[in-house]
Amino acid sequence: MRSPRRCTRNGCPRQAVATLTYVYNESTAVVGPLAAFAEPHTYDLCEPHARSLTAPRGWEVVRHEGEFEPPPPTTDDLVALAEAVREAARPAPRPPQDEDQHRTPPTSRRGHLRVIPPTH
Ligand SMILES: [Zn+2]
């Protein structure tokens, strides 16, 4: 899981330092710190491509402020940060409208499990 990831742009040999995520139901492209693992609709980008990204017509770009850095060996904090950036990029949860999102609705949650104490 630690192999360096490369920019996904055609012909670009640079190391990826950022992850681009398309949030289709919000028409938003989020450029955040490198994600720990690949997800649908995400693309790893090198710093020049992350900085120069422009959104398609009608889309917004939410860009990570500050420096992009290669991930350190332990990535728990980066994962949390990347998730926070993505959550911040969603103004309000809405039902997914894109067919691709039916598999994993972003607002779905597992039922809460509760421990029942034994009766004596
Ligand atoms: Zn690149």
Side-chain angles (χ1 to χ4, degrees):
M1 296 292 286
R2 291 197 193 170
S3 60
R5 284 146 65 176
R6 293 200 352 213
C7 180
T8 54
R9 292 294 162 106
N10 278 344
C12 181
R14 284 184 287 261
Q15 182 183 5
V17 297
T19 295
L20 166 64
T21 304
Y22 286 116
V23 184
Y24 283 87
N25 58 342
E26 300 290 347
S27 294
T28 302
V30 181
V31 180
L34 191 66
F37 50 88
E39 297 174 355
H41 312 309
T42 65
Y43 304 88
D44 294 338
L45 296 176
C46 64
E47 179 160 355
H49 276 131
R51 299 236 180 252
S52 64
L53 177 84
T54 55
R57 181 188 297 268
W59 282 58
E60 276 188 75
V61 174
V62 177
R63 206 181 305 263
H64 167 68
E65 299 288 340
E67 297 298 313
F68 289 108
E69 295 177 5
T74 59
T75 56
D76 284 357
D77 288 347
L78 274 184
V79 172
L81 182 58
E83 293 300 323
V85 167
R86 284 179 208 177
E87 287 304 316
R90 294 180 183 137
R94 276 194 273 160
Q97 296 163 357
D98 189 277
E99 287 184 357
D100 289 346
Q101 307 234 348
H102 287 175
R103 287 166 294 150
T104 54
T107 56
S108 72
R109 288 189 180 167
R110 290 171 184 269
H112 195 72
L113 296 180
R114 182 178 307 179
V115 175
I116 309 287
T119 56
H120 294 286

